[in-house]
Amino acid sequence: MSSTGPIKQARKSLLWLGVIFLISAAILITGVLSGKAALAPKLALDLEGGTQMILAPRVAGGDAATQEQLDQAVEIIRQRVDGTGVSEAEITTQSGRNVVVSMPGIPDTRTRELIQASANMEFRAVILAGSFTEVPEDQRLAKADLPKPTAKPENGSDVNWVDAALYQKFEKFDCPTELGQRSDEEHEADEPMISCDPDVGQKYILGPVEVPGADISDSSFSMARGQQGAVTGQWAVNLEFNADGTKKFAEVTQRLTALEGAQNQFAIVLDGTVISAPRSNAVIPDGKAQITGNFTEESSKALADQLKFGALPISFEIQSEQQISATLGSDQLRSGLIAGIIGLILVAIYSIFQYRLLGVVTIVSLLVSGVLTYLALVLLGWSMNYRLSLAGVAGLIVAIGLIADSFIVYFERIRDELRDGRPLPSAVEIGWKRAKRTILASKAVNILAAVVLYIVAVGNVRGFAFTLGLTAVVDIIVVFLLTHPILQLLGKTKFFGEGHRFSGLDPSLLGVVPLYRGAGKVRSFSPEAEGARGKKNAKAASEATRRQTIAERRKAATSVSAPTTQDDSADKDSTNG
């Protein structure tokens, strides 16, 4: 009954590993058949080449961009690009005038917009709203009917901001036809402006900026929720303001809630275009707002990323764009792969030499780890735009030794239990309980080091940290779901259970006294009693003594060394025991 428990557990673990393989392979095959994924991992700039864009800064008022502005822009652009996936792009300044962005592959439209956009977010009150279509000449107001300010404006919603010139401009204003298309209209923060919302077909006269985008502390995207907390099925962007923004936003919503018509609306302006103009139905005192509209998951995420990574101090236009070749090339990749194969062969040779056929378990586990890691890299390249650099390849090579270390710890624990006279099935279970604590502690340190390195590093070093952490996670999966279950099954076989000399568990090489014979059998080691095998066994005993640890030698020195003899009945009792 007790023997069926580990076997059943081993089969269940192997089944779970098979499920992981099948699910990963099914996802990958689906992506390949749909044309969205490839069978090979995506390569980074140093191995594949890509696109280089030179961005020319555009500063309000036509002034030249300062070095401080360029440095800040480089950091924000790097955060934005990294936010689209671990693509390991290179962003630098050029001659103190331009910003150079080098990216692997060909960037899509969304990435280009993310790099160029200044993400100048403003919150302005709506003063007047009208039709998206230009008002016909015969329907425009006569000069006598044009608005005439009667007093100085008191707040951002005051109609006294609208004079005759502004209203005529509003009537003739030609709105962009697509959501996200920029307007060339210049506007000042402390002056009213004209803007449009192409998504709803409205154009507005807006008051001065009341809450700047710099007051946003965080943003995210999620499904929108109604007043009762129920999910509405629409995507939304969630905003959180800092202390100053919270105070300003509370004052504005308190004023707007008491107004009616268009003046009840609060326009959210991104780069001069209204992306949403929601009505204010209640005062928002906690600084947590939600932007809703006709968002898709992709557009809501793009906007949340722009706001989360901050507004650029300047905007950019693409001055030039060209394809660049790989900085290292396929030769370096080939050399890295050859180095990995050599490392794998050396580990395999050592495992076979040290553990005989038990080393095959190490080789199989390494191969399975490699396949799982490969699937993970391909799937991450599809879902997160992860790209493998030469530094990432180096992380995979280093991981070979770290993964093999887990198996060595486990095997040596089993050998220690066999030296204590336990049968192999028991040695496997007890050795695993002790080994898995060491393995988990070791992998936790590896993962922690990888996470810290990934956070503090930039560029290719992050690729090294990423693959190092990924392989540590894969190692844990393989050891728990493959290596240990295989040894549980092998422990029930005659070849390994009785310690065959090619199994790697030969008791004569482990210094086992009395020697372990499997199935609960033991026998005394006595060269004289072994007859013709005396010299061979004596040599094995000498080798076992040489391999003993200091603790084992001390234990042997304090133990009683008198030889014991067993008659047939004693041997029979030990066998039954």
Side-chain angles (χ1 to χ4, degrees):
M1 187 71 175
S2 60
S3 63
T4 59
I7 297 299
K8 184 177 180 180
Q9 182 182 6
R11 291 172 178 170
K12 185 183 295 184
S13 298
L14 292 174
L15 179 62
W16 274 111
L17 182 63
V19 169
I20 293 175
F21 265 110
L22 290 176
I23 292 176
S24 301
I27 294 174
L28 178 59
I29 292 174
T30 302
V32 172
L33 293 178
S34 63
K36 298 180 179 179
L39 290 175
K42 291 183 177 180
L43 300 180
L45 188 66
D46 56 349
L47 298 178
E48 183 187 54
T51 304
Q52 184 182 78
M53 294 180 289
I54 298 179
L55 307 178
R58 295 187 303 179
V59 184
D63 297 332
T66 64
Q67 186 62 44
E68 183 180 2
Q69 287 177 317
L70 289 175
D71 292 340
Q72 184 181 354
V74 166
E75 185 61 30
I76 293 175
I77 291 175
R78 178 178 290 112
Q79 290 177 334
R80 290 179 176 182
V81 173
D82 290 343
T84 64
V86 191
S87 57
E88 300 190 23
E90 297 178 2
I91 300 98
T92 58
T93 59
Q94 183 187 66
S95 304
R97 297 192 304 270
N98 300 321
V99 173
V100 180
V101 179
S102 301
M103 301 180 63
I106 300 177
D108 55 19
T109 303
R110 174 176 172 270
T111 303
R112 295 174 189 272
E113 293 176 351
L114 198 63
I115 292 174
Q116 290 181 264
S118 64
N120 184 21
M121 189 69 145
E122 302 171 341
F123 295 82
R124 295 173 178 255
V126 175
I127 300 176
L128 186 66
S131 172
F132 188 86
T133 307
E134 184 179 354
V135 179
E137 185 72 28
D138 57 351
Q139 295 182 16
R140 294 179 182 174
L141 295 177
K143 290 185 179 180
D145 298 326
L146 292 175
K148 297 180 179 62
T150 59
K152 185 177 180 180
E154 297 181 356
N155 53 60
S157 302
D158 198 328
V159 293
N160 285 307
W161 286 106
V162 183
D163 57 16
L166 181 61
Y167 190 82
Q168 283 185 326
K169 187 177 180 180
F170 170 71
E171 286 185 322
K172 298 178 180 180
F173 191 80
D174 186 14
C175 290
T177 57
E178 296 181 3
L179 184 63
Q181 185 176 348
R182 298 184 183 184
S183 171
D184 295 331
E185 182 71 16
E186 296 183 1
H187 52 274
E188 300 294 335
D190 56 352
E191 295 290 336
M193 67 169 291
I194 300 172
S195 185
C196 304
D197 185 351
D199 190 51
V200 298
Q202 290 284 311
K203 59 181 178 180
Y204 306 93
I205 295 181
L206 307 176
V209 175
E210 303 207 51
V211 183
D215 286 342
I216 299 174
S217 62
D218 193 16
S219 67
S220 61
F221 71 103
S222 65
M223 299 298 290
R225 294 184 178 274
Q227 295 181 353
Q228 303 300 324
V231 177
T232 63
Q234 295 179 332
W235 287 97
V237 177
N238 306 307
L239 300 179
E240 291 188 20
F241 294 93
N242 58 22
D244 290 339
T246 299
K247 181 179 179 181
K248 297 173 186 176
F249 199 71
E251 294 174 353
V252 173
T253 54
Q254 184 174 17
R255 184 185 76 236
L256 297 183
T257 303
L259 299 176
E260 297 180 354
Q263 289 182 299
N264 179 249
Q265 295 176 261
F266 198 29
I268 303 163
V269 185
L270 178 64
D271 291 335
T273 300
V274 176
I275 59 174
S276 182
R279 295 187 177 277
S280 179
N281 298 322
V283 181
I284 302 177
D286 59 356
K288 295 181 179 180
Q290 189 176 76
I291 305 174
T292 57
N294 292 334
F295 286 118
T296 62
E297 180 179 5
E298 182 178 1
S299 61
S300 61
K301 181 181 185 303
L303 177 56
D305 287 343
Q306 285 181 316
L307 301 176
K308 181 178 181 180
F309 297 134
L312 284 172
I314 48 181
S315 60
F316 290 90
E317 61 180 358
I318 299 178
Q319 189 178 70
S320 65
E321 179 176 337
Q322 62 181 354
Q323 299 300 308
I324 57 176
S325 59
T327 56
L328 295 177
S330 58
D331 291 340
Q332 297 293 333
L333 177 60
R334 188 181 302 108
S335 300
L337 294 177
I338 292 175
I341 293 173
I342 292 174
L344 187 61
I345 293 175
L346 291 176
V347 170
I349 293 174
Y350 171 81
S351 299
I352 296 297
F353 175 78
Q354 181 70 16
Y355 298 108
R356 308 300 192 272
L357 289 183
L358 189 62
V360 176
V361 178
T362 300
I363 298 173
V364 171
S365 299
L366 282 172
L367 293 177
V368 172
S369 298
V371 174
L372 277 178
T373 303
Y374 185 86
L375 288 173
L377 292 176
V378 175
L379 293 176
L380 288 172
W382 174 24
S383 60
M384 296 176 51
N385 197 30
Y386 172 78
R387 291 181 177 270
L388 184 64
S389 65
L390 191 61
V393 174
L396 297 177
I397 297 173
V398 171
I400 295 176
L402 298 178
I403 293 175
D405 181 63
S406 300
F407 308 141
I408 294 174
V409 169
Y410 184 21
F411 294 162
E412 291 301 324
R413 287 292 189 182
I414 294 176
R415 285 183 162 191
D416 288 341
E417 299 304 321
L418 292 176
R419 290 188 180 98
D420 290 340
R422 291 187 175 87
L424 182 57
S426 176
V428 168
E429 297 303 322
I430 297 176
W432 170 245
K433 290 180 181 179
R434 296 179 177 179
K436 70 179 180 181
R437 292 195 295 266
T438 304
I439 293 172
L440 289 175
S442 174
K443 296 309 159 185
V445 172
N446 290 346
I447 294 174
L448 180 61
V451 170
V452 172
L453 185 61
Y454 184 84
I455 293 175
V456 301
V458 295
N460 289 338
V461 180
R462 301 186 73 183
F464 174 83
F466 187 85
T467 53
L468 196 64
L470 176 65
T471 51
V473 174
V474 171
D475 184 19
I476 295 175
I477 295 174
V478 171
V479 170
F480 276 76
L481 299 183
L482 179 67
T483 310
H484 176 53
I486 286 180
L487 285 176
Q488 286 179 309
L489 297 176
L490 293 179
K492 297 298 180 180
T493 63
K494 182 178 179 180
F495 182 84
F496 286 92
E498 294 187 357
H500 191 279
R501 63 193 185 98
F502 292 126
S503 67
L505 300 174
D506 184 0
S508 65
L509 299 178
L510 300 179
V512 179
V513 181
L515 288 180
Y516 169 68
R517 295 174 62 188
K521 298 179 181 179
V522 294
R523 61 182 172 87
S524 300
F525 180 78
S526 174
E528 294 78 5
E530 294 295 331
R533 298 182 60 190
K535 293 183 179 181
K536 178 180 179 181
N537 289 336
K539 182 179 179 181
S542 176
E543 177 66 16
T545 301
R546 188 181 67 82
R547 294 191 179 189
Q548 283 183 336
T549 63
I550 295 176
E552 290 172 338
R553 292 176 181 176
R554 289 179 178 175
K555 182 178 179 181
T558 58
S559 64
V560 178
S561 59
T564 60
T565 59
Q566 295 176 326
D567 55 16
D568 294 339
S569 61
D571 187 64
K572 181 178 180 180
D573 292 339
S574 66
T575 302
N576 293 334

